[in-house]
Amino acid sequence: QILMASLSAASSSWRPPPSPPSPLEVYSWLASGSSSASRLAVALFLVPEESWPPGARNHKELTNAISNLAKGTMPGESEPVSTDRRDPREYQDTIYQNPMRVYTDNEEVKIVLAKSSRFQLVEAGEPHDVLFTISNITNFLELPPERLVNSFPFEGGLVQKDLLPQTVRRACYSADRVAPTWWNPCFDLSTEAHFFLAEYRRREASGEPNTWIVKAAQGSHAINYTVTKDARVVIERMRARPRDADQVAQLYVERPFTLQDRKFDLRFYVLVRSFAPFEAFIHPHYYARLAADPWGKGDELDSRNKHFTTSLEKGAGDFPHMWPEQMAQAVVSDGLISLAEWEKAIAAAEQTLGQLFTSVAPLIGEWPRSRAYYGVDLMFESLEVDGRLSLTPKLLEVNFQADFDVARYGGTDGLEVTEEGDALMEKLINDFFETLFTDTVAKGMKAINPALFAT
């Protein structure tokens, strides 16, 4: 009843869900876990104080949470992680062997490095200079200090969907808490559902775009994703979720720029040799992932093949991708913007990557033995300004060690390995390993200059 009263206050047009929660269910759901006060505020912050249940006014932690909500304070914001983090033995100097011995459980990497003269594959248990694993490393302090690894401590703040919103707020918002243009509001529904509801109400009252995408915090391929204009749907998703399946709600890009009338996102690769001192590169090869069905007006929110570019519900022949040259041809063919405007938009996307990674660097700090590459997904919001389309990059997510499947398939619509795809995969892996695990940088890499983003 408390929860439904808060929802009714947000929108008189809402209909009650089929099975309204009981007061006991509300309390057990909202008050569970370490963030009980913040979560209980979801049910109370829209309700007049005189309507609160008995005892709520005497709950100091709860009243403080609602007071912080009124002030706009975000939960979970502790002091930034210290940047004075060093290897246990302060092992700074990297000695690059020739060849570098590599242990990996990545099958594509094994295929490519088996042909390399600069790297030597070894078996589990044998001495190695580089540990390149498909899983996040958690036992950093137990590894030999001279070994290079393909992971950074604290990178979860980048690659986990439920932590990325707080990372962006802490590192990328302006001093007066204004979000960068490339970021749409996003909330961890386990701890920030009340902020989501407040933002939903504000947008509803002002007539601003108010469509939201709900994503599983640890999911991929658009599994368990929902696009909705109804906050009631979001609340129902929260009630139905397993306790270990956290979710986020992010403002949806309602006006995406399309290629050949298909929604698409872009995958960029960012290679980080060091967060402190900062040294990172953008690989020149990026690609677009297109939705299987034409966008049209984009008003069918339940059409997964229209709204999602990586949905596993696509058929085997419905995985269209485009490489940079193909994208440029499609832009010219569509005639919506000029080629020069498209190149300007790509430059803006690369600026977004630069701002993101240089801003979060102090939160991760100095780990001289770590290296990593990340697959960063963006899309363009299309707005009309003075009769011309203006494209604004929008960050979607950051992925730990994105796979090479798309490269290996060569950008075809099918799922067969091609010679072109094998060659492209080999180039990517060789470029990544040369840049991350040798004393040279692969040709064509674009260095991210932190001086351009200093504040």
Side-chain angles (χ1 to χ4, degrees), residues 9-10 45-46 196-206 210:
F45 85 103
L46 293 175
F196 158 70
L197 287 174
E199 179 68 9
Y200 185 92
R201 282 190 70 195
R202 187 191 69 77
R203 289 179 170 274
E204 185 179 52
S206 65
N210 209 13

Side-chain angles (χ1 to χ4, degrees), residues 54-239:
R57 297 181 187 85
N58 300 325
H59 195 294
K60 184 176 180 181
E61 189 176 357
L62 173 60
T63 54
N64 286 341
I66 295 178
S67 175
N68 288 336
L69 168 61
K71 298 175 184 177
T73 304
M74 302 306 292
E77 292 192 357
S78 58
E79 290 298 315
V81 176
S82 170
T83 59
D84 191 23
R85 298 267 184 170
R86 298 178 181 272
D87 228 81
R89 305 181 195 178
E90 299 189 357
Y91 196 99
Q92 294 284 343
D93 296 329
T94 298
I95 300 176
Y96 292 106
Q97 308 289 344
N98 191 9
M100 294 284 279
R101 298 166 298 177
V102 179
Y103 171 74
T104 181
D105 53 1
N106 185 303
E107 294 304 320
E108 288 88 359
V109 170
K110 288 181 181 179
I111 293 173
V112 173
L113 294 193
K115 310 174 186 177
S116 174
S117 61
R118 303 189 69 173
F119 298 96
Q120 174 188 345
L121 291 172
V122 300
E123 298 297 328
E126 295 181 348
H128 50 282
D129 308 302
V130 177
L131 173 61
F132 191 91
T133 174
I134 60 176
S135 304
N136 293 91
I137 296 172
T138 58
N139 59 334
F140 285 91
L141 301 184
E142 301 173 14
L143 297 175
E146 70 279 3
R147 182 175 298 161
L148 295 176
V149 296
N150 66 315
S151 185
F152 280 88
F154 308 120
E155 66 185 3
L158 272 175
V159 300
Q160 292 182 217
K161 297 182 186 70
D162 53 340
L163 298 181
L164 180 60
Q166 290 196 38
T167 298
V168 171
R169 293 187 206 114
R170 291 171 61 185
C172 304
Y173 275 40
S174 64
D176 53 352
R177 303 190 63 79
V178 175
T181 59
W182 45 261
W183 181 249
N184 274 2
C186 185
F187 303 97
D188 175 5
L189 293 177
S190 295
T191 59
E192 301 174 343
H194 47 315
F195 289 106
F196 158 70
L197 287 174
E199 179 68 9
Y200 185 92
R201 282 190 70 195
R202 187 191 69 77
R203 289 179 170 274
E204 185 179 52
S206 65
E208 297 178 57
N210 209 13
T211 303
W212 296 80
I213 180 170
V214 182
K215 302 183 279 189
Q218 306 298 330
S220 61
H221 296 290
I223 297 174
N224 292 327
Y225 285 19
T226 299
V227 179
T228 181
K229 294 178 179 287
D230 190 348
R232 180 175 57 92
V233 174
V234 179
I235 296 300
E236 286 296 300
R237 279 285 304 267
M238 293 170 59
R239 289 180 60 203

Side-chain angles (χ1 to χ4, degrees), residues 351 354-355 358 447-455:
Q351 287 286 101
Q355 183 180 358
T358 56
I448 297 176
N449 183 358
L452 298 177
F453 307 99
T455 57

